[in-house]
Amino acid sequence: MYFLLKEDSLQSNRKIFVTGGLGADYRDPSITTRYVTHNVEEALNFKTPEDAAQFLCRGYVVAKREANDIFIPV
């Protein structure tokens, strides 16, 4: 599975995933915080990196889940 992950949280224990609000203006922090989660089970997931890349926004990367808490940017 592939996820949209906040780039600066990749190395932290509390990763930030996009959970909704696709198409929102993620440059506005007041909007962004309503659409993110620390819980991977609530995060949007995609079958291919190309699907996920359609919804990329500034500050986020497409990441593949390698293990329980290990995500590798693609």
Side-chain angles (χ1 to χ4, degrees):
M1 296 308 257
Y2 296 88
F3 299 86
L4 296 176
L5 200 65
K6 187 156 178 122
E7 188 170 21
D8 60 6
S9 76
L10 271 170
Q11 303 304 320
S12 78
N13 290 336
R14 287 183 47 104
K15 295 177 177 35
I16 300 172
F17 302 92
V18 172
T19 187
L22 296 177
D25 184 355
Y26 285 92
R27 292 171 289 191
D28 182 349
S30 66
I31 293 172
T32 304
T33 56
R34 285 184 268 165
Y35 300 106
V36 298
T37 183
H38 294 288
N39 185 351
V40 71
E41 286 78 23
E42 296 174 359
L44 290 176
N45 59 72
F46 303 89
K47 292 183 181 185
T48 67
E50 293 80 19
D51 289 343
Q54 292 182 54
F55 302 103
L56 268 178
C57 44
R58 186 176 7 162
Y60 289 80
V61 295
V62 175
K64 181 178 182 181
R65 189 176 193 176
E66 292 290 320
N68 221 13
D69 200 31
I70 298 173
F71 292 84
I72 308 297
V74 291

